[in-house]
Amino acid sequence: MARYVTTVPSSKTPEEAFAYMSDVRNFTQWDRGIKSVHQVIGDGAGVGSGYDITVKGFGGKDSVFRYVTLECDSPTNILVKGKNWMFTSVDRVTITPTATGCDVTYDAVLTANLIVWPMNIMLGRIFDKVGDVATRGLKKVLA
């Protein structure tokens, strides 16, 4: 299991940040590891909406995760869960109002599934690098 947590200050209102972050289709705008997002369940953000997210995989092979929104509480909380045959990712976005806008905290836990569970030992280092790149992207879009 690997965990990555980052908090990004934003000049956006909590409502603006929530609207942006709750629409998973926006992930390609700030996470360079994501190649594409296609909504496959629902229309827009909300509990039960589903997305196929193609990420750059190991060894140059792309990997597709099916993400589903489990919680969507405007303007403070979003929880999505993605899974494929190899990994499960649980990502929570928490938005906290500040005097100048808000803080957006992204908390992601990546776990190798049963067949590849020994990879959990290595995931931390890899996930930290991926998370650092995504944090830089978040800082740009949430400024």
Side-chain angles (χ1 to χ4, degrees):
M1 180 189 84
R3 185 172 185 203
Y4 188 86
V5 180
T6 187
T7 299
V8 175
S10 176
S11 61
K12 296 183 182 299
T13 66
E15 293 77 15
E16 290 170 329
F18 179 86
Y20 182 81
M21 294 301 295
S22 65
D23 189 343
V24 175
R25 295 171 294 184
N26 290 328
F27 284 20
T28 58
Q29 296 175 17
W30 55 269
D31 188 338
R32 288 191 344 214
I34 295 176
K35 296 181 87 173
S36 66
V37 177
H38 300 284
Q39 188 157 15
V40 294
I41 301 170
D43 183 21
V47 172
S49 58
Y51 308 85
D52 282 346
I53 297 181
T54 303
V55 299
K56 295 176 187 174
F58 298 110
K61 290 185 92 176
D62 291 346
S63 184
V64 178
F65 282 78
R66 170 66 53 95
Y67 268 82
V68 175
T69 302
L70 302 176
E71 298 174 10
C72 194
D73 307 309
S74 181
T76 59
N77 175 60
I78 304 143
L79 180 68
V80 294
K81 181 177 182 179
K83 190 171 184 176
N84 66 13
W85 72 273
M86 198 169 185
F87 296 106
T88 299
S89 183
V90 178
D91 304 31
R92 181 176 298 279
V93 178
T94 305
I95 300 165
T96 307
T98 65
T100 57
C102 65
D103 284 339
V104 177
T105 300
Y106 200 97
D107 185 346
V109 176
L110 183 66
T111 306
N113 294 332
L114 185 60
I115 196 163
V116 292
W117 69 266
M119 287 186 70
N120 280 318
I121 297 167
M122 304 179 331
L123 278 180
R125 288 188 190 129
I126 297 167
F127 204 41
D128 284 346
K129 289 179 184 177
V130 171
D132 288 346
V133 171
T135 295
R136 288 193 293 275
L138 268 179
K139 286 179 178 178
K140 289 179 184 174
V141 298
L142 292 175

